Amino acid sequence: MAHTMYFSSHPITFSSLLLISKVPTSHQSSLAQKQLLEKKLKPSAKYELRSLYSGLFVQAPTSLVLLLCHLSFSLSLSQREIRHINISMNTKEVEVTLIKKEVVAVQLAKNEDHWLPLSNLDLCILHPLDFSIFLCFKKPTCKDNWTSMAMVEVLKKALKEALVPYYFLAGEKVPDSMAEHKLHCNNRGVDFTEAFANIELQKLNLNEPDETIGCKLVPKKKNGVMAVQATGFKCGGLVLACTFDHQIVDAYSAGMFLVSWAEIARSKPFSSLPTFNCAMLNPRHPISFDPSLHNLYVPITMFNPSNDPEPSANHFENRICLVKANIINQLQSQASTKESKRTKLESFSALLWKISAKSARNKRVSKLGIVVDGRTMLSFGDKEKRSLMSSYFGNVLSIPYDSKKIDELIEKPLSWVANEVHGFLEGAKTKEHFLDLIDWVEAHRPVQSLAKVYSSGNKEGPALVVSSGQHFPISKVDFGWGKSAFGSFYFPWGGNVGYVMPIPSPSGNGDWVVYMHMLKRELELIECEAAHVFKPCTSDRLK
């Protein structure tokens, strides 16, 4: 098993035995546990572990079963033999105190209160569906007086100014008489929460985000289109988290807004001004679409979220991992042939598809969908439209997918799987595909449309969607105290289809930070067999 290990300047004495094994706890005796551990250790060697918390609460990946036996001895581990033990805090010890909650809005003239329709591509997104982005900023070193409280004031002041060109983020989504949503630009404002965490930033558990980041640092959007939470830490660091209504905002739009917000905070001119003119995505007259769209999208009335009858089959968990640049390049090389070079995303997605299939050998098929941004396709060959589409705020997405037999995905080489990924992707990377999709949605209104990969249960086998955040501008989000030390999406959407979102590491060195919302059995297989690819994100990134 290839994981990561951390050391300190002194050994830690445990009052319990830490055992690494794939055998369930109930099937092992204390003696067997001790014997298995001893096989992992060099009897004469002495090593040291670094505890990040005095409570010595141990959290291991799901593939490493923690068995506690009441034995006292000094634990030493070899970096070569056991390469991941993540000693981090008990998340129950994280106390986040609410300091202040307010609504940030700007004073607009009464005649600016108006309604905006959603585009047909917006209407392809489920409602209600929110996603979050969080950014971790270390204590600034550029100015002595940069306290977390001072940073929060800068954020609020800049947000108020940013909501002038991004006024639709301060509005509300309201259903009309046909139950379709429209955007009421009434300057309702953005809910902004100030909070304080009783720990140091570098003690956050980034790898398993649910109990800290998901429950305590990411805001739950109750009203409006967007919500913000800024949480200060004992060390002077800050976590900024934003939650967006996905039917109004896609990842590209969120990135555009964050960059603009940061530019205002630094008194810089906007590098790009948004447009919410969805007339650019109007259907054609007469409407026309290729019948193959029926294989990719369905009316929501056909949505059948049936569950797998197996116990715990639909148990999803969340992880955030790091994939190093050299590993991504190796995957691309393995997925390519002399005749065809595959992209990094195709190669990465092919690996995930094989893992998902291998975790479900008792099933028949496995599905993979990949999110495609259509801004480039819709403006192909038109310089003026390219400029407009590059600043378009809203959803311009399609999710092509394919289904393959489990046995094929397991047995065939990575290059074959990557070729299949390339095949179904190519059909969606055209202007005609997106124009057809817009018309297909129009033909089915007012019934909402849904990507077909989401529409069926997983009785036949698992389904996974990979989004493309490779160009998310995380390194450009600098509010005046430096770019973030870490950032990721957080999107436990609640359905029975997995979701993976890779974005660039803020370091700009080609590494990817990968958010994974996947079945527990899939994550266990990743941690067991692909740990050399998916490195747990550790607090070392926040030092």
Side-chain angles (χ1 to χ4, degrees):
M1 295 168 54
H3 296 284
T4 306
M5 186 174 180
Y6 315 102
F7 297 93
S8 74
S9 59
H10 61 279
I12 297 171
T13 299
F14 284 80
S15 62
S16 56
L17 172 64
L18 185 67
L19 174 65
I20 296 173
S21 170
K22 297 179 186 176
V23 184
T25 306
S26 59
H27 294 171
Q28 296 185 332
S29 66
S30 296
L31 178 60
Q33 294 165 8
K34 189 173 187 295
Q35 289 173 341
L36 281 174
L37 178 63
E38 288 172 346
K39 290 180 181 179
K40 295 287 185 180
L41 304 177
K42 293 181 178 179
S44 60
K46 290 186 178 181
Y47 301 93
E48 297 172 341
L49 292 173
R50 174 169 57 83
S51 172
L52 302 182
Y53 287 84
S54 59
L56 300 181
F57 182 86
V58 178
Q59 287 187 333
T62 50
S63 63
L64 306 182
V65 180
L66 276 172
L67 304 176
L68 298 178
C69 304
H70 298 294
L71 302 171
S72 296
F73 63 94
S74 181
L75 180 63
S76 301
L77 296 178
S78 163
Q79 187 174 11
R80 290 184 179 179
E81 296 183 5
I82 302 175
R83 286 178 282 178
H84 178 80
I85 290 183
N86 182 17
I87 299 182
S88 62
M89 62 176 299
N90 185 338
T91 53
K92 293 179 181 179
E93 294 177 3
V94 183
E95 293 182 6
V96 176
T97 303
L98 176 65
I99 297 175
K100 185 179 181 182
K101 188 171 183 178
E102 61 183 293
V103 177
V104 176
V106 293
Q107 193 65 41
L108 297 176
K110 288 185 178 181
N111 58 3
E112 293 190 35
D113 185 317
H114 62 285
W115 295 79
L116 288 173
L118 303 188
S119 76
N120 281 4
L121 297 183
D122 290 325
L123 297 175
C124 285
I125 305 296
L126 279 172
H127 168 82
L129 186 64
D130 298 333
F131 70 91
S132 302
I133 300 169
F134 70 93
L135 304 173
C136 302
F137 296 93
K138 294 188 289 187
K139 181 180 180 179
T141 57
C142 51
K143 286 176 67 176
D144 293 337
N145 60 343
W146 270 130
T147 64
S148 58
M149 189 175 297
M151 290 189 281
V152 169
E153 289 305 313
V154 169
L155 289 171
K156 286 194 293 186
K157 182 177 182 295
L159 177 59
K160 187 173 291 190
E161 295 180 46
L163 290 177
V164 175
Y166 289 88
Y167 60 91
F168 32 81
L169 287 177
E172 294 181 284
K173 198 173 68 174
V174 181
D176 61 16
S177 59
M178 301 294 289
E180 288 188 333
H181 285 90
K182 297 186 184 303
L183 189 56
H184 187 196
C185 300
N186 58 356
N187 194 34
R188 181 251 170 216
V190 171
D191 289 342
F192 193 107
T193 300
E194 295 177 50
F196 181 78
N198 68 332
I199 62 167
E200 295 175 344
L201 182 62
Q202 60 266 34
K203 295 180 179 179
L204 271 182
N205 185 347
L206 298 174
N207 181 226
E208 299 175 333
D210 288 337
E211 293 189 29
T212 50
I213 293 162
C215 291
K216 300 181 180 181
L217 302 180
V218 166
K220 302 295 185 288
K221 184 181 69 61
K222 297 180 180 179
N223 302 292
V225 175
M226 172 188 173
V228 177
Q229 180 171 323
T231 305
F233 286 73
K234 285 173 64 176
C235 59
L238 181 85
V239 169
L240 173 65
C242 303
T243 299
F244 299 95
D245 187 320
H246 199 348
Q247 205 171 44
I248 308 296
V249 187
D250 64 4
Y252 181 97
S253 305
M256 181 169 36
F257 168 72
L258 288 171
V259 170
S260 295
W261 185 8
E263 287 171 340
I264 289 178
R266 302 195 323 271
S267 301
K268 301 289 185 182
F270 285 118
S271 56
S272 177
L273 286 170
T275 175
F276 199 79
N277 180 14
C278 62
M280 293 187 293
L281 302 179
N282 280 347
R284 296 168 292 192
H285 294 287
I287 61 173
S288 173
F289 55 85
D290 191 287
S292 63
L293 263 295
H294 292 301
N295 299 325
L296 297 181
Y297 283 81
V298 295
I300 199 170
T301 49
M302 294 178 64
F303 183 45
N304 179 31
S306 55
N307 290 328
D308 193 306
E310 296 179 16
S312 304
N314 294 313
H315 180 59
F316 282 84
E317 294 185 355
N318 297 287
R319 296 287 187 276
I320 302 177
C321 294
L322 183 74
V323 181
K324 303 289 287 184
N326 66 310
I327 296 295
I328 298 168
N329 293 333
Q330 288 175 21
L331 281 177
Q332 186 178 22
S333 177
Q334 294 168 11
S336 301
T337 63
K338 291 180 179 179
E339 296 76 25
S340 55
K341 183 177 181 179
R342 295 298 164 230
T343 67
K344 289 180 171 66
L345 184 67
E346 289 170 343
S347 307
F348 175 76
S349 300
L351 175 67
L352 285 171
W353 202 1
K354 283 180 72 69
I355 290 171
S356 180
K358 193 172 182 180
S359 74
R361 290 178 181 271
N362 61 330
K363 300 295 183 180
R364 193 172 68 85
V365 298
S366 177
K367 302 173 187 175
L368 177 73
I370 297 183
V371 180
V372 177
D373 189 312
R375 287 172 172 82
T376 302
M377 294 77 172
L378 285 168
S379 58
F380 182 75
D382 187 331
K383 289 185 178 180
E384 184 178 350
K385 192 167 187 180
R386 186 183 305 138
S387 176
L388 289 172
M389 287 305 301
S390 67
S391 61
Y392 179 76
F393 197 99
N395 289 282
V396 193
L397 306 174
S398 177
I399 310 180
Y401 85 101
D402 199 1
S403 177
K404 293 293 177 186
K405 292 180 179 178
I406 294 282
D407 291 343
E408 275 189 318
L409 292 168
I410 294 174
E411 295 168 3
K412 297 286 187 180
L414 185 66
S415 57
W416 182 88
V417 180
N419 193 57
E420 297 302 305
V421 173
H422 176 80
F424 75 75
L425 263 181
E426 282 303 288
K429 290 185 173 181
T430 67
K431 181 177 182 178
E432 281 303 312
H433 170 80
F434 279 89
L435 294 177
D436 284 1
L437 177 55
I438 291 168
D439 287 359
W440 191 93
V441 175
E442 185 68 17
H444 292 83
R445 290 178 66 180
V447 177
Q448 189 181 358
S449 301
L450 178 69
K452 196 171 183 178
V453 68
Y454 289 125
S455 67
S456 60
N458 58 8
K459 287 184 178 180
E460 290 186 332
L464 179 67
V465 170
V466 179
S467 194
S468 176
Q470 293 170 287
H471 302 294
F472 188 76
I474 189 168
S475 62
K476 295 181 180 179
V477 183
D478 179 355
F479 292 93
W481 47 80
K483 64 184 180 182
S484 61
F486 185 83
S488 175
F489 278 65
Y490 183 75
F491 188 29
W493 76 286
N496 57 5
V497 175
Y499 178 82
V500 174
M501 178 62 154
I503 66 171
S505 166
S507 62
N509 61 357
D511 294 349
W512 288 0
V513 173
V514 182
Y515 166 76
M516 299 187 292
H517 175 72
M518 298 177 69
L519 289 166
K520 181 180 179 181
R521 65 172 183 261
E522 293 172 331
L523 291 171
E524 288 176 342
L525 190 61
I526 284 174
E527 292 166 343
C528 182
E529 298 189 6
H532 63 291
V533 176
F534 299 90
K535 300 288 186 181
C537 283
T538 67
S539 56
D540 286 345
R541 310 191 68 81
L542 300 177
K543 290 181 179 176

